[in-house]
Amino acid sequence: MRGATRYKWAACAATTVVLAATVTACGGGGGGGGGGSSATGVLSASWTDPQNPLEPANTNEVQGGKVLSMIFRGLKKYDPQTGAAQNMIASSIGTKDSQNFTIKLKNGWTFSNGQKVTSASFIDAWNYAAVTSNKQINASFFSYIDGFDKVHPETGSPSAKTMSGLKKTGDLSFTVKLNQKFSTWPDTLGYSAFMPLPQSFFTDHAGWLQKPIGNGPYEVQSYTRGTGIKLRKWSGYKGDDKAVNGGVDLQVYTDNNTAYTDLQAGNLDLVDDIPATQLKNVKSDLGGRYLNTPAGIIQTLGFPLYDKNWKGANSAKVRQGISMAINRPQITKTIFQNTRTPATDWTSPVLGSAGGYQSGVCGSVCTYNPTQAKKLIKDGGGIPGGTLKIGYNADTGSHKDWVDAVCNSINNALGNDNACVGSPTGTFADFRNKITNKQMTGPFRAGWQMDYPLIQDFLQPLYYTGASSNDSHFSNAAFDKLVDQANAENDSAKAVLKFQDAERILAQEVPAIPLWYQNGSAGWSSRLSNVALDPFSVPVYNEIKVS
Amino acid sequence: MGRYVIRRLLQMIPVFIGTTLLIFFMVYALGDPVAAKCGERACDPATAAQIRKDLYLDHPLWQQYLHYMGQIFQGDFGTAYNGQQVTALMGSAFPVTLRLTIVAILFEIIIGITLGVITGMRRGRPVDTGALLLTLIVISIPTFVTGYVLQYLLGVKWGVISPSVSTGAPFNELIIPGLVLALVSLAYVTRLTRTSIVENARADYVRTAIAKGLPRGRVITRHLLRNSLIPVVTFIGTDIGALMGGAIVTERIFNIRGVGFQLYQGILRLDSATVVGFVTILVIVFLVANLLVDLLYAVLDPRIRYA
C-alpha cells in the first residue's frame, strides 16, 4: 500500500514536469494522494523485453508493437474498435489500376523533435527497411514495391540502395509503383513497418535507438532496456486521437504471474496478459475490471504436405476426419476458460463481415462428429503410421495442456488410445527450425497473428504457393488464381468475395485445421477506466482514463 | 603461499577453456538462433543470411569458437539480440544478483551458523529435534512454493512488502527474496554446522581449553566453532557461485532483472552471445570462490599450510 502511494506521487511529479502548463490535482494542497480528477495521471502497465531493437521494420511481436503504436502514426491507422483502416497522415491514396498509387500527405505533422513529416520521411524509412544489409526482419512487407528485388536480392548483396517504385513528387506527395496488382495494398499501410522516420534515425542511429523519436501521441521520456520505458503525452501531437492520460510507464516483468500479483497489491495499473492459472480467479479478484475480447489471432494445426504420408489425394480425407474428431467447444471451455473461441473458418472474427470474416466456411469439417470422423479417416487409409504425433514447443505458452486435450478428443472419437500423442520440441527456436527445414512428419501447432486486419493477411502469406509463412507448403493452382484475382480487383467488396471463394478451397483440402480464435485479455486497477483492447490485443493506451 | 596462488590461477586456464568450449557447443546444439528471431513466420532467406553473416554464424563451429574467444580477450562479449552490448547487460544484471547473493549469504551465515551451534550444543534436546525437523521441512519445499506463498502473504494479503522488486533493487527490497533464495542452503548450513560441532565437542583441544578454565563462550567461538567451520566454509563458498547463477526461479518470482533473468531469456531466444558470456563470468566466479575457500582453510586451521 505504501508503495502505491509513493508511486502515485512520483507519477504526479513526472507529469507536472511534462505538462507544466496544466494545473494538476497533484499540486493542490491537502495532499489527498488519491489522485482526483485530472486527465494527466500516468499509468503503469506490464511489458516484456522486446526481442529485437525497437525499429519499426524490425519489430514483429506485440511487445515492441505496443510502443510503436504509441510513438508512431503512419499513413493509415486501424480503428481500435472496428479494425477498419482510416487515413491518418495520408490525406488521400489514389489509384486507377491497383498498381500505381499516388499518396498525398496532410500538412502540419511533425516528429516530436520538431522535424516535419514529409514524403521523404516515408520514402527513406521504407528504403531503409527493404535493403538487405540493414537486416530488418520485416523487409518482406516491402516486397510488393517495384525494385524490391534490387535492394533485397534472394542471394548476394543488393545492387541498389533505393527502390525504383518510390518516387517523390513533392514535399507532401509521392507515388508508389507495385510489381503486381494489389488493390487492398493501401490498407496494409497502418502496419508498424510502414511508419515514417525522422532524419535523426539515419544520422544518429545509436542515439535514436536509445531514445526513439516518433510522431505519435506519446514521446519517449526514458528507455532502459530490460527494465522499462517511460512514455509521456506529447503536447505537440497533431492527430485527433490525443492521449487522455499523462503517460504510460511500461515495466518489464519476467513472469506474468508477478505482474498479476503486483496488480492485486496495487503496484501496477494494467496487465494485458492474465496468466492461465489465474483465469479461474480473475473475476473474483478484479470484479468488473477484466476484459476478454477476440483478437486477430488464430491457432491451427498445420500439416507437412511435403511429406509422402500427407501428400496423397486421399490424405485430405484423413485431415478432415482428424478435424472432426476435435471437440473444440469442450477444450476451449475446460482448458482455456473461454479465452478462446472455437474456429469455424481460417480468418478471424475481428475482421467483421465487411472485412471478409464469414462464420462457418469450414462447415461440418470443423464440427465435432466422432462417427463421421472415424469413417473419413478409414476411407482415407487411416492415420499414416498408425499414430498421429502433434508437434509443439514445450518452452512457452503451456501448449502441452491443449495438445494433450486435442489428442484425448481424437483418441476418444476413434476409440483408440494410441491414435494421437503430443510430440514436444524443447525450444521454440528449435521447433521453428524443424518447420523451416521441412523436417516435420506429423501435424504441428501454428499460431497466426494478423499484421493488418485484412482477409488477405490470413490467406496469402499462409497458403499461397511459396508464400513466406506457408509452413505446410500447400500449393493449389485454383487457390492461387483466386487470390491473384482478388488482389487485382479494384472494388474491395468484390475482392473480399474472391478471397472467400479461395478460402472455401481450404475447407476441401485442409492444409491446416482451424482450432480456435484467441482472445486478448486485460485486467486493471480501480484507478483506470475506459480500458479497451484493439484487434491486435494491444490495450488502447491513449484512451485510458486515470483517476 | 604466493606460489600456491599462482599455481591455482594457472590451473584455472584449462578449466576455463574447457567449460567455455562445452557451453559454446551446447548452446549451438540448441538450434539455429535466427529461426527464433522471426517469430511464428519464417525469416526471409536474404535477411536470415545477412544476420548469420553478421553474427559470424556462417563459419564452422570451431572457427566461431576461436573468433568468440578472440573477442572476449579484447573485452568484447558481443551483441545481444535486442541490439545491446552483452557487457552492458552484465553491467546491469551482475550488481543486482550480487546484492541478492550477499543478502542470501548473510542469512546463511548469521541464521544458519547460529542455529547450527545452538542445536549442536544441545544435542538431543527439544531445540535440536525441533530445528532438525524444521530444516527437513525447508529442504523438502521447492523454492518456487516458498517464493509464491511469501510473496502472496506478505505482498498482497498483508501488504508488508511490495510483491516485486523495483528497478534499482536496493538492499531493503531484497530481504524477502534473499531469504527465499537462502532457505534451502540455510538448512544445509545448519545441519553441517551442527554435525561438525557435535563431532568436535569431544575433541582433546576442547577438553584442554575447558580444563584451562577458559570461559564457555570463548571455548565455543575461538576453539570449537573455528575448527568446525571448514566444511561449512566449503559449502558456502561453492554456494556463492550456485546462488549467483541459480537464482532464476527467485528472480522470476520477484521480478528481479539479474543474471538469472538474462540467462533464462537468452536460452529461450537462443541468444548465444548472452548465454555464453554470462556463463563465462559465472565460471570465473566459481573458480575464484573456490580459490578463496581453499585459502580460508589456512586461516581457520593453522595446521594447514600452502607451499
Side-chain angles (χ1 to χ4, degrees):
Chain A
M1 285 299 115
R2 277 187 59 88
T5 327
R6 197 170 61 232
Y7 173 71
K8 229 172 258 178
W9 275 104
C12 286
T15 34
T16 335
V17 173
V18 175
L19 300 163
T22 325
V23 181
T24 69
C26 311
S37 63
S38 75
T40 54
V42 175
L43 65 118
S44 56
S46 66
W47 198 39
T48 53
D49 202 19
Q51 199 171 354
N52 298 305
L54 263 182
E55 297 161 301
N58 212 4
T59 297
N60 63 354
E61 39 75 53
V62 179
Q63 302 302 335
K66 276 182 189 172
V67 177
L68 296 178
S69 74
M70 283 193 263
I71 64 171
F72 277 109
R73 285 294 178 263
L75 292 169
K76 294 239 180 192
K77 184 201 164 190
Y78 301 117
D79 185 286
Q81 259 156 27
T82 61
Q86 294 157 337
N87 282 346
M88 201 70 208
I89 297 181
S91 68
S92 71
I93 302 177
T95 182
K96 287 199 177 71
D97 55 2
S98 298
Q99 189 164 9
N100 289 287
F101 293 86
T102 310
I103 299 171
K104 289 200 164 58
L105 309 182
K106 286 176 192 158
N107 200 358
W109 278 74
T110 60
F111 292 100
S112 60
N113 63 358
Q115 204 174 57
K116 285 192 74 165
V117 179
T118 64
S119 49
S121 316
F122 285 95
I123 294 173
D124 293 347
W126 294 4
N127 280 328
Y128 180 89
V131 175
T132 315
S133 47
N134 293 328
K135 294 179 292 182
Q136 303 285 299
I137 54 179
N138 284 340
S140 57
F141 282 90
F142 300 88
S143 60
Y144 298 107
I145 297 173
D146 201 35
F148 179 79
D149 50 341
K150 292 279 191 312
V151 298
H152 200 105
E154 279 183 28
T155 51
S157 44
S159 57
K161 286 272 162 206
T162 54
M163 289 181 281
S164 55
L166 297 176
K167 283 215 174 65
K168 182 175 170 174
T169 51
D171 260 359
L172 295 172
S173 62
F174 65 108
T175 59
V176 182
K177 180 171 187 268
L178 303 184
N179 50 26
Q180 63 178 80
K181 285 183 189 290
F182 188 177
S183 62
T184 48
W185 180 77
D187 287 348
T188 68
L189 298 175
Y191 185 59
S192 57
F194 294 100
M195 297 296 135
L197 287 168
Q199 268 306 309
S200 62
F201 178 89
F202 307 102
T203 53
D204 176 19
H205 192 70
W208 193 93
L209 285 177
Q210 290 282 327
K211 196 178 168 184
I213 292 164
N215 61 342
Y218 293 93
E219 60 182 341
V220 177
Q221 190 185 49
S222 68
Y223 176 24
T224 320
R225 270 181 258 185
T227 302
I229 187 165
K230 290 186 191 307
L231 297 141
R232 291 297 172 264
K233 179 177 175 168
W234 176 41
S235 49
Y237 178 59
K238 290 293 178 309
D240 46 11
D241 53 345
K242 290 183 173 56
V244 300
N245 47 48
V248 181
D249 285 346
L250 294 178
Q251 295 173 1
V252 169
Y253 277 89
T254 54
D255 183 357
N256 58 3
N257 277 300
T258 312
Y260 187 75
T261 314
D262 252 357
L263 174 67
Q264 283 181 294
N267 275 355
L268 185 71
D269 290 323
L270 178 63
V271 172
D272 63 344
D273 175 21
I274 307 281
T277 46
Q278 302 286 2
L279 287 173
K280 273 182 231 149
N281 318 324
V282 72
K283 287 229 170 66
S284 58
D285 284 346
L286 299 174
R289 304 194 309 277
Y290 167 68
L291 191 71
N292 175 21
T293 52
I297 308 171
I298 183 168
Q299 309 282 354
T300 60
L301 281 184
F303 283 87
L305 301 182
Y306 45 81
D307 188 276
K308 59 179 187 331
N309 286 328
W310 297 104
K311 239 184 216 164
N314 271 333
S315 93
K317 271 188 184 165
V318 179
R319 294 194 291 271
Q320 288 179 349
I322 293 168
S323 177
M324 284 185 196
I326 301 170
N327 191 342
R328 294 172 182 76
Q330 196 186 35
I331 295 171
T332 51
K333 191 167 164 242
T334 49
I335 305 276
F336 294 116
Q337 312 289 333
N338 290 326
T339 55
R340 307 279 192 282
T341 312
T344 59
D345 80 330
W346 281 264
T347 68
S348 166
V350 297
L351 295 179
S353 55
Y357 169 71
Q358 194 185 13
S359 149
V361 172
C362 185
S364 61
V365 173
C366 290
T367 316
Y368 182 58
N369 186 346
T371 34
Q372 184 68 10
K374 214 169 171 175
K375 186 175 171 289
L376 275 171
I377 291 176
K378 203 176 155 207
D379 288 355
I383 293 171
T387 304
L388 193 69
K389 290 186 177 140
I390 301 184
Y392 63 96
N393 57 306
D395 54 346
T396 50
S398 29
H399 297 301
K400 183 180 190 309
D401 296 349
W402 68 258
V403 170
D404 286 349
V406 165
C407 273
N408 230 335
S409 182
I410 294 174
N411 288 345
N412 286 342
L414 301 184
N416 173 3
D417 280 347
N418 297 319
C420 174
V421 289
S423 160
T425 301
T427 60
F428 177 66
D430 204 16
F431 180 63
R432 283 301 318 173
N433 255 333
K434 283 188 187 168
I435 293 174
T436 319
N437 296 337
K438 293 193 182 182
Q439 287 165 352
M440 303 307 281
T441 53
F444 48 89
R445 73 149 201 99
W448 182 252
Q449 167 140 30
M450 65 178 185
D451 306 301
Y452 29 84
L454 287 179
I455 185 171
Q456 180 265 348
D457 193 40
F458 281 94
L459 300 180
Q460 191 168 1
L462 291 166
Y463 307 112
Y464 193 85
T465 304
S468 58
S469 296
N470 190 345
D471 291 333
S472 294
H473 295 270
F474 176 67
S475 178
N476 182 300
F479 179 88
D480 292 356
K481 196 176 160 209
L482 282 166
V483 168
D484 287 340
Q485 287 175 348
N487 279 331
E489 193 66 65
N490 275 327
D491 180 49
S492 68
K494 280 183 192 155
V496 161
L497 286 177
K498 289 274 186 208
F499 275 121
Q500 284 173 339
D501 285 344
E503 201 186 339
R504 279 185 199 99
I505 292 174
L506 299 182
Q508 289 153 21
E509 296 293 323
V510 204
I513 294 177
L515 292 172
W516 32 75
Y517 312 117
Q518 191 168 326
N519 288 8
S521 63
W524 59 94
S525 73
S526 53
R527 287 176 70 211
L528 305 188
S529 57
N530 202 24
V531 181
L533 293 173
D534 69 10
F536 303 91
S537 77
V538 171
V540 189
Y541 291 102
N542 61 300
E543 290 178 7
I544 297 175
K545 292 191 179 113
V546 184
S547 65
Chain B
M1 185 78 172
R3 294 239 323 260
Y4 175 75
V5 174
I6 290 171
R7 205 169 69 224
R8 284 291 300 268
L9 286 176
L10 285 177
Q11 280 172 2
M12 283 185 188
I13 295 173
V15 177
F16 178 78
I17 292 177
T19 40
T20 45
L21 189 70
L22 268 180
I23 298 155
F24 201 87
F25 277 59
M26 281 195 280
V27 172
Y28 188 90
L30 283 175
D32 181 3
V34 179
K37 215 172 149 65
C38 296
E40 296 275 353
R41 66 184 69 202
C43 279
D44 81 282
T47 311
Q50 184 72 27
I51 294 172
R52 282 200 191 94
K53 184 162 171 263
D54 285 17
L55 290 174
Y56 215 75
L57 291 172
D58 53 346
H59 290 74
L61 189 55
W62 63 272
Q63 278 185 14
Q64 287 185 40
Y65 178 71
L66 288 186
H67 176 79
Y68 180 77
M69 291 309 275
Q71 279 188 325
I72 280 193
F73 284 115
Q74 292 160 25
D76 178 9
F77 277 84
T79 313
Y81 283 167
N82 63 2
Q84 220 175 352
Q85 287 291 312
V86 174
T87 39
L89 286 179
M90 289 176 180
S92 67
F94 270 101
V96 173
T97 301
L98 196 64
R99 279 201 288 277
L100 184 65
T101 311
I102 290 173
V103 174
I105 294 283
L106 282 181
F107 271 117
E108 286 181 23
I109 293 175
I110 296 169
I111 304 182
I113 295 183
T114 318
L115 262 180
V117 171
I118 294 174
T119 50
M121 298 307 292
R122 299 220 188 330
R123 194 160 65 101
R125 308 257 183 88
V127 186
D128 184 28
T129 333
L132 278 185
L133 209 66
L134 205 70
T135 52
L136 197 67
I137 294 173
V138 168
I139 290 174
S140 55
I141 299 177
T143 308
F144 69 87
V145 176
T146 41
Y148 278 124
V149 168
L150 280 180
Q151 182 190 42
Y152 181 73
L153 290 180
L154 296 174
V156 180
K157 199 95 178 166
W158 301 325
V160 188
I161 59 158
S162 158
S164 66
V165 172
S166 63
T167 314
F171 273 111
N172 60 342
E173 291 184 20
L174 290 174
I175 292 175
I176 296 297
L179 182 66
V180 169
L181 183 61
L183 269 178
V184 174
S185 300
L186 196 158
Y188 281 120
V189 169
T190 306
R191 295 190 142 212
L192 268 178
T193 315
R194 177 188 171 276
T195 319
S196 198
I197 291 264
V198 167
E199 230 169 67
N200 290 330
R202 297 205 199 93
D204 292 344
Y205 60 85
V206 175
R207 205 171 46 200
T208 314
I210 296 172
K212 265 200 312 193
L214 286 181
R216 191 180 147 82
R218 201 171 155 74
V219 175
I220 293 176
T221 49
R222 290 285 300 174
H223 296 265
L224 180 55
L225 182 59
R226 187 170 156 176
N227 282 295
S228 308
L229 275 183
I230 287 187
V232 181
V233 166
T234 317
F235 178 78
I236 293 181
T238 46
D239 210 30
I240 291 178
L243 289 182
M244 286 201 72
I248 295 181
V249 174
T250 317
E251 289 192 353
R252 259 175 77 90
I253 294 175
F254 292 98
N255 201 33
I256 302 166
R257 287 155 290 234
V259 175
F261 164 58
Q262 296 293 353
L263 270 178
Y264 176 76
Q265 192 154 284
I267 290 169
L268 279 193
R269 294 176 180 174
L270 286 193
D271 194 340
S272 47
T274 310
V275 177
V276 181
F278 272 78
V279 177
T280 303
I281 298 291
L282 285 177
V283 167
I284 295 175
V285 170
F286 255 104
L287 291 175
V288 172
N290 261 326
L291 177 61
L292 288 180
V293 166
D294 284 351
L295 294 180
L296 260 181
Y297 286 170
V299 178
L300 288 170
D301 188 342
R303 286 172 299 186
I304 299 174
R305 292 262 182 280
Y306 295 117

